[in-house]
């Protein structure tokens, strides 16, 4: 705990992705979890996918907060989250099968919105334009706001389901049947899924029940008793339902301030906002992507690949990434970078669209949402650009710098990382340190750490939160 924090009163930091999701937030949480007592979710649901290196191997979790493999932490799922009970049961089984006891460690707000069978049906049959993850999250939040539709109560909170499962499940079925009756064509597979979902729901409710927290003041009490909370944002700032580019966004708020609504804590405890970005940017799903390699052609390629179910295996069978890396066509370079840096959706397996590090976008996010420090992941992957036509590291400059210097994209010198020790950041190659300075100058926030490989100990951390005089570095 930093010196200026009273030992009898804790604090909360909020960690958010600054781009389009999948920036490696879970890896950063893994790195800094030792500084916190509680890791809490405040938005999103099973549409998130965080990859965690657990003692027994790599796991992808969707709803259980990322600190789960740090036994000293408690975990909280706040009321702003949409809970998929079927998937949550599976996650609890998976985690506990790995030897982790969640009793008295995991707490789930009883006001979380419950994803219902009707939501899967609506998302499944309406997702093409946006390219959602089809987890029913958008329709769930829509129903939270609708409350009643066609005479059926459609807003279900976890506490409703726990109090009277039979009545609520009957309403869920009625609402799903109403959706099915509106659909033309063969809906047999959707009906079968509906039947299976309702049949298994009771078991899922009972599996989750012991973890449900009915006290809305839970986090507040813990923090006043000295607990340090880390809020873990799902999705990312560019996908915020209001601040992102509608309609190509997720359905919840991803901005840091929402942590204190969906996370059930007073904002008086806020300390720092931590941003996570990645040096090779990716986006899964449709929508604007200003620094995309291959621009509209790459977007069309992505749409066609999703429609045809083409992912990692198909691209591996069709392309030699080392060859594409040298191509003069930026779309080829994007495909090569995706293959060589493993950019496929962790939840959906879809190929992710690839773009240059966009410093203009990061500057906007840092400024708008008061980001104090930034972790930049996948910096090691930038070395691949050396083999490309850029022969160095291309970055999209801020509009101000571009106007002043008359260039949109700057090529920065490449660096060699094979022999570096992330534990000694001051000894990192001078080109890498110069790269970090350019990024800090452009985005207006200090880069606290850089990811130099997928493992946790491959992150070079330049200082610890609370040690740095943050305001001095911000421009
Ligand atoms: P939804 O959140 O499933 O409704 O999908 C809306 C958009 O957000 C789509 O473009 C998804 O690909 C994107 N999205 C949702 N969750 C994530 C995530 O965890 N990582 C990256 N993209 C996501």
């Amino acid at each position: 705990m930093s010196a200026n924090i009273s030992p009898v009163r804790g604090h909360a930091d909020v960690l958010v992705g600054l781009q389009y999701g999948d920036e490696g937030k879970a890896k950063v949480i893994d790195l800094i979890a030792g500084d916190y007592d509680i890791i809490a979710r405040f938005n999103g649901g099973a549409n998130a996918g965080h990859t965690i290196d657990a003692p027994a191997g790599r796991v992808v979790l969707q709803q259980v907060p990322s600190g789960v493999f740090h036994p000293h932490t408690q975990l909280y799922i706040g009321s702003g989250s949409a809970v998929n009970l079927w998937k949550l049961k599976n996650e609890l089984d998976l985690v506990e099968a790995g030897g982790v006891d969640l009793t008295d460690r995991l707490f789930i707000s009883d006001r979380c919105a419950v994803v219902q069978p009707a939501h899967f049906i609506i998302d499944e049959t309406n997702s093409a334009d946006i390219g959602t993850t089809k987890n029913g999250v958008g329709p769930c939040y829509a129903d939270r706001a609708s409350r009643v539709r066609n005479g059926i109560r459609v807003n279900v909170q976890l506490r409703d389901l726990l109090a009277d499962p039979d009545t609520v499940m009957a309403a869920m079925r009625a609402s799903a049947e109403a959706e099915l009756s509106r659909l033309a064509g063969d809906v047999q597979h959707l009906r079968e899924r509906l039947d299976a979902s309702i049949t298994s729901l009771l078991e899922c409710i009972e599996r989750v029940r012991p973890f449900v927290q009915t006290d809305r003041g839970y986090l507040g009490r813990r923090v006043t008793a000295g607990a340090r909370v880390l809020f873990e944002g799902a999705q990312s700032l560019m996908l915020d339902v209001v601040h992102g580019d509608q309609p190509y966004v997720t359905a919840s708020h991803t901005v840091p301030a929402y942590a204190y609504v969906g996370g059930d804590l007073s904002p008086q405890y806020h300390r720092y906002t931590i941003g996570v970005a990645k040096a090779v940017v990716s986006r899964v799903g449709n929508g604007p992507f200003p620094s995309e390699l291959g621009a509209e052609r790459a977007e069309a390629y992505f749409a066609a690949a999703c429609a045809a179910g083409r992912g990692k295996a198909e691209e591996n069978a069709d392309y030699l990434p080392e060859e594409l890396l040298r191509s003069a066509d930026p779309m080829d370079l994007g495909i090569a970078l995706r293959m060589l840096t493993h950019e496929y959706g962790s939840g959906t397996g879809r190929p992710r669209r690839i773009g240059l590090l966009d410093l203009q976008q990061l500057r906007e996010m840092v400024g708008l949402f008061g980001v104090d420090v930034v972790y930049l992941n996948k910096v090691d992957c930038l070395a691949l650009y050396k083999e490309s036509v850029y022969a160095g590291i291309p970055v999209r400059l801020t509009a101000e710098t571009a106007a002043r210097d008359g260039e949109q994209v700057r090529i920065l010198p490449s660096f060699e990382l094979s022999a570096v020790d992330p534990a000694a950041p001051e000894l990192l190659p001078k080109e890498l340190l110069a790269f970090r300075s350019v990024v800090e100058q452009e985005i207006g926030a200090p880069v606290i750490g850089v990811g130099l490989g997928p493992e946790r100990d491959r992150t070079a951390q330049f200082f610890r939160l609370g040690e740095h005089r943050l305001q001095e570095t911000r421009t």
Side-chain angles (χ1 to χ4, degrees):
M1 189 180 288
S2 69
N4 60 349
I5 302 289
S6 153
V8 293
R9 197 179 115 151
H11 57 253
D13 294 338
V14 183
L15 181 141
V16 289
L18 301 179
Q19 295 156 331
Y20 304 95
D22 311 310
E23 296 93 348
K25 296 183 281 289
K27 196 182 77 165
V28 173
I29 291 174
D30 207 26
L31 182 75
I32 62 178
D35 294 335
Y36 298 93
D37 305 298
I38 302 174
I39 316 285
R41 288 275 305 264
F42 61 86
N43 71 329
N47 50 350
H50 32 257
T51 308
I52 303 174
D53 285 315
R58 183 163 281 197
V59 294
V60 178
L61 296 178
Q62 296 189 298
Q63 300 176 90
V64 173
S66 290
V68 63
F69 294 108
H70 293 266
H72 75 279
T73 58
Q74 288 192 331
L75 311 166
Y76 183 66
I77 300 179
S79 64
S81 308
V83 170
N84 176 326
L85 288 162
W86 300 270
K87 285 197 167 179
L88 185 55
K89 175 190 177 295
N90 288 344
E91 275 182 64
L92 297 178
D93 291 348
L94 179 82
V95 166
E96 294 196 329
V100 175
D101 182 5
L102 291 169
T103 316
D104 294 329
R105 269 195 73 202
L106 172 67
F107 302 88
I108 307 169
S109 164
D110 70 345
R111 286 172 190 254
C112 286
V114 174
V115 179
Q116 306 170 41
H119 302 149
F120 299 125
I121 296 169
I122 300 169
D123 210 6
E124 179 80 34
T125 51
N126 287 278
S127 65
D129 290 348
I130 302 175
T132 72
T133 64
K134 300 186 185 175
N135 277 288
V137 171
C140 178
Y141 284 119
D143 274 355
R144 186 176 73 173
S146 292
R147 294 152 291 162
V148 174
R149 190 155 29 88
N150 301 322
I152 302 169
R153 167 136 186 235
V154 289
N155 172 12
V156 173
Q157 291 181 325
L158 208 40
R159 58 187 181 146
D160 303 318
L161 197 52
L162 296 181
D164 187 357
D166 291 338
T167 306
V168 174
M169 279 163 47
M172 282 183 173
R173 181 181 277 282
S175 145
E177 294 283 0
E179 291 308 322
L180 285 181
S181 68
R182 260 188 277 281
L183 293 174
D186 183 7
V187 293
Q188 187 54 27
H189 67 291
L190 294 173
R191 183 169 299 284
E192 282 168 13
R193 184 174 176 188
L194 166 62
D195 289 340
S197 302
I198 296 285
T199 307
S200 56
L201 186 53
L202 215 45
E203 188 191 354
C204 300
I205 296 169
E206 294 315 317
R207 180 73 173 94
V208 170
R209 189 187 288 276
F211 302 102
V212 175
Q213 174 58 265
T214 55
D215 175 7
R216 275 184 283 175
Y218 163 73
L219 262 196
R221 274 192 295 103
R222 296 281 287 110
V223 175
T224 28
R228 301 156 301 169
V229 175
L230 178 62
F231 281 115
E232 167 184 23
Q235 294 81 45
S236 291
L237 296 186
M238 297 303 297
L239 295 176
D240 182 86
V241 65
V242 172
H243 290 276
D245 290 301
Q246 276 278 359
Y248 305 107
V249 293
T250 194
S252 68
H253 284 292
T254 59
V255 297
Y258 192 68
Y260 295 96
V261 179
D264 313 316
L265 185 69
S266 163
Q268 69 182 305
Y269 300 111
H270 183 66
R271 191 179 68 148
Y272 296 127
T273 301
I274 304 165
V276 183
K278 76 184 165 187
V280 176
V281 186
S282 75
R283 171 167 199 163
V284 63
N286 304 335
F289 186 177
S291 70
E292 183 165 20
L293 281 160
E296 292 84 5
R297 282 188 305 126
E299 189 176 5
Y301 173 97
F302 165 80
C306 289
R310 278 172 54 82
K312 189 174 188 169
E314 292 74 14
E315 289 199 332
N316 271 320
D318 289 355
Y319 303 124
L320 286 173
E322 292 77 10
E323 263 175 32
L324 293 185
L325 196 59
R326 293 178 179 79
S327 163
D329 183 345
M331 186 167 117
D332 289 345
L333 175 57
I335 296 172
L337 289 173
R338 169 164 61 247
M339 295 176 73
L340 295 167
T341 66
H342 316 290
E343 287 289 353
Y344 297 87
S346 57
T348 59
R350 292 180 289 177
R352 296 181 183 148
R353 299 156 63 193
I354 303 293
L356 300 186
L357 179 58
D358 188 339
L359 301 176
Q360 168 63 25
Q361 190 175 73
L362 289 182
R363 184 174 188 88
E364 281 171 31
M365 295 303 108
V366 163
L368 281 170
F369 300 109
V371 175
D372 293 299
V373 293
V374 172
Y375 282 90
L376 191 60
N377 277 325
K378 285 206 156 184
V379 166
D380 54 318
C381 297
L382 294 172
L384 290 168
Y385 280 116
K386 196 174 176 195
E387 309 300 323
S388 75
V389 288
Y390 291 112
I393 300 167
V395 295
R396 181 177 180 235
L397 296 169
T398 58
E400 199 184 325
T401 306
R404 189 192 61 216
D405 297 351
E407 55 180 355
Q408 303 283 327
V409 171
R410 183 168 296 166
I411 315 293
L412 301 171
S414 216
F415 31 76
E416 172 54 51
L417 291 174
S418 52
V420 302
D421 176 9
E426 65 289 353
L427 301 179
L428 289 173
K430 66 178 189 320
E431 295 83 3
L432 172 50
L433 298 176
F435 166 82
R436 174 179 176 237
S437 298
V438 171
V439 172
E440 291 186 327
Q441 201 62 41
E442 286 287 271
I443 71 175
V447 172
I448 183 170
V450 289
L452 304 177
E455 304 80 18
R456 192 193 334 177
D457 63 3
R458 295 294 295 168
T459 299
Q461 179 130 293
F462 295 94
F463 58 91
R464 284 168 68 109
L465 266 184
E467 278 176 356
H468 195 67
R469 294 161 74 184
L470 295 170
Q471 294 307 324
E472 280 186 8
T473 323
R474 298 186 65 180
T475 55

